[in-house]
Amino acid sequence: MWLFALPALLINVCIILVPAVLTFTAAFFIWDGVGTPVWAGLTNFQNMVADPVFWSALTNNFIWTAIFLTVPVCLALVMAAALLMAPKARIVVQSIIFLPRIIAVAVTGRIFQGMIFSPATGIVAWLNEHGFSISDPLADPDRSLYAVAAVDIWHWWGFLAVVFLAAMRQISVDQIEAARLDGAGFFALFRYVLLPGISPTLTLMLILTVIWSFQVFEFIFIVTRGGPAYGSEVLATFAYRHAFFEGDVGHAAAAACVMSLFGLCATAVYLRLQITDDAQST
Amino acid sequence: MIGDRWSRTFALGLIGVASFSSLLPIALAIMNALKTTTEIGSNPLALPTQMHWENFSSAWRNARLGPSLLHSAEVASLTILMVCVTATPCAYVLARQKGKLWRFITFYFMATITVPVQLYLYPLYFIFAKLGLVNSIPAVALIYTAMFSPFAIFLLRTYALAIPVALEEAAQVDGARPWQAFWYVILPMMRPGLLTVAIIVGLNAWNEFVIAVTFLQNDSNVTAIVRFYNLTGQYSTDWGEMLAAAVTIVLPIVAIFVLLQRQFIDGMTSGAVKS
């Protein structure tokens, strides 16, 4: 029987587990990726801690986590409740808000750069012509992270709303009707019936948000490359830059380890949840 | 019907605003893909006065989209094939076997779902470089197989769990070997799950960026996404042509999405919705 599992397991171990262990090892070596690695002890970590860009990248990861634990979650919760009340619009609207999720990140990033944020061809340009003075947020180190987050929120929140809607639809209609007969308005219904009803799904999505927020790479790399002036740098772009543009794989590996460490706590909670859940279903 | 009139009006208003903001960037991209760069510069929000379809033909030519779309299709189909072939038997055996070792393997696959690419990207790249596997489409498909198969395994496992064990026992009584029971009894019943897996895995492979941009560096093997990304670095002043390229790359995905919405939505939300 174990032959059935072997191919998938073998591929996964070779592509993910072995290199992951090597990354952990590489963090203790000075290595350019090509030559012979030289033992360096904790040098990579010491250099990293001394680098202010590392700290601003880490801070940005925390800001990103805070943004994604709140903004898209609130939008999605309210939207899911709204769709629950509008059964006729549900199917079409669900597909519309899901659509951004299936468009490639590279394409989404470029569309927002050109059509929204660009001071020459975007909505920002249009607003400037119509009496609002807004500069390109992507060119401003203080605002670039938030601008990229806005793009990712556009891409993400609708998917989240569809997940929450699916969970809300599992709540029994009787329960909702009973609350309504008791005179519960929208907010009471939301607070006392819908929210508790989807709390397992909500918890899971919040944990995944924490895990993903420490891994965030694509949108930032595509839209700003971590710039300008490292304003939107996160650990993943920091590591990528060190590995491939500065030829310092050891340093990149150290950053990747730190990144994984933060995700690890959330992963532990995630695995606990999944496994108790799994024990019930099998 | 849930909610009073006031909250229903609020809900409909919200739905309107949400749909509009989800569609606005897409609409802007399509509209401006049909305009000249000067027209885009003068007013990005105006509808095209004249359809400049030549943006599409010049994007196709200048960006050499044709071959890169073909590479994307190659990577996606190879990944779908490898994921289905390896994940299906694995999902089946994880659904049937109990015991410590099997629980550990299940746990391992769950853990790899949350592992960041960054944790294995760098050694993997330099190992592949040594082995001469950089710039190889099958090598990229192999990496995707490792990345996407845990998802496939858990989705297919729920299908396998729903199949009564009695069916295989009956087959075994009739003298079928395990692989025969799998092939003739289990596999046909997992077909709807395989369709969902194929769609989601295909979508992910088509859209994937980090691995593709790192491992494919020659014009002769880049995927459409990487081609688009590299191109827009160079020509980002010609937004009309760039947006035409964007629309061309996204169009096949959106077309499949419109046809198979159920599979997309169920597949991508699977595992997220807890009861």
Side-chain angles (χ1 to χ4, degrees), chain A residues 119-145:
Chain A
T121 57
I123 286 189
V124 165
W126 186 86
L127 286 172
N128 277 323
E129 267 168 42
H130 291 77
F132 300 89
S133 172
I134 303 170
S135 62
D136 178 1
L138 296 177
D140 178 353
D142 293 330
R143 285 186 296 154
S144 57
L145 183 75

Side-chain angles (χ1 to χ4, degrees), chain A residues 89-270:
Chain A
R90 196 183 288 154
I91 298 200
V92 177
V93 174
Q94 181 171 273
S95 297
I96 290 175
I97 60 172
F98 197 87
L99 195 60
R101 180 80 171 80
I102 64 157
I103 296 177
V105 172
V107 171
T108 303
R110 289 291 186 251
I111 291 176
F112 271 78
Q113 276 175 315
M115 294 292 100
I116 310 284
F117 296 131
S118 163
T121 57
I123 286 189
V124 165
W126 186 86
L127 286 172
N128 277 323
E129 267 168 42
H130 291 77
F132 300 89
S133 172
I134 303 170
S135 62
D136 178 1
L138 296 177
D140 178 353
D142 293 330
R143 285 186 296 154
S144 57
L145 183 75
Y146 301 97
V148 184
V151 185
D152 200 347
I153 289 170
W154 178 79
H155 161 91
W156 173 244
W157 83 275
F159 167 77
L160 207 55
V162 172
V163 169
F164 290 153
L165 176 64
M168 282 179 189
R169 292 186 65 189
Q170 290 181 349
I171 300 170
S172 81
V173 181
D174 294 348
Q175 214 182 335
I176 295 170
E177 273 307 305
R180 226 174 58 75
L181 289 175
D182 287 344
F186 175 75
F187 290 102
L189 188 73
F190 185 76
R191 171 70 187 81
Y192 296 105
V193 181
L194 299 183
L195 215 49
I198 65 161
S199 75
T201 302
L202 184 60
T203 312
L204 180 72
M205 293 319 287
L206 291 177
I207 294 165
L208 285 173
T209 300
V210 175
I211 295 173
W212 290 329
S213 294
F214 280 95
Q215 307 181 357
V216 57
F217 177 79
E218 289 194 331
F219 272 114
I220 292 174
F221 186 78
I222 289 163
V223 178
T224 64
R225 286 203 156 216
Y230 306 122
S232 58
E233 187 95 301
V234 286
L235 290 175
T237 53
F238 177 85
Y240 197 89
R241 191 161 52 79
H242 276 282
F244 292 120
F245 306 138
E246 293 176 17
D248 190 354
V249 182
H251 202 135
C257 287
V258 171
M259 201 176 121
S260 307
L261 196 70
F262 280 99
L264 203 66
C265 315
T267 302
V269 182
Y270 164 81

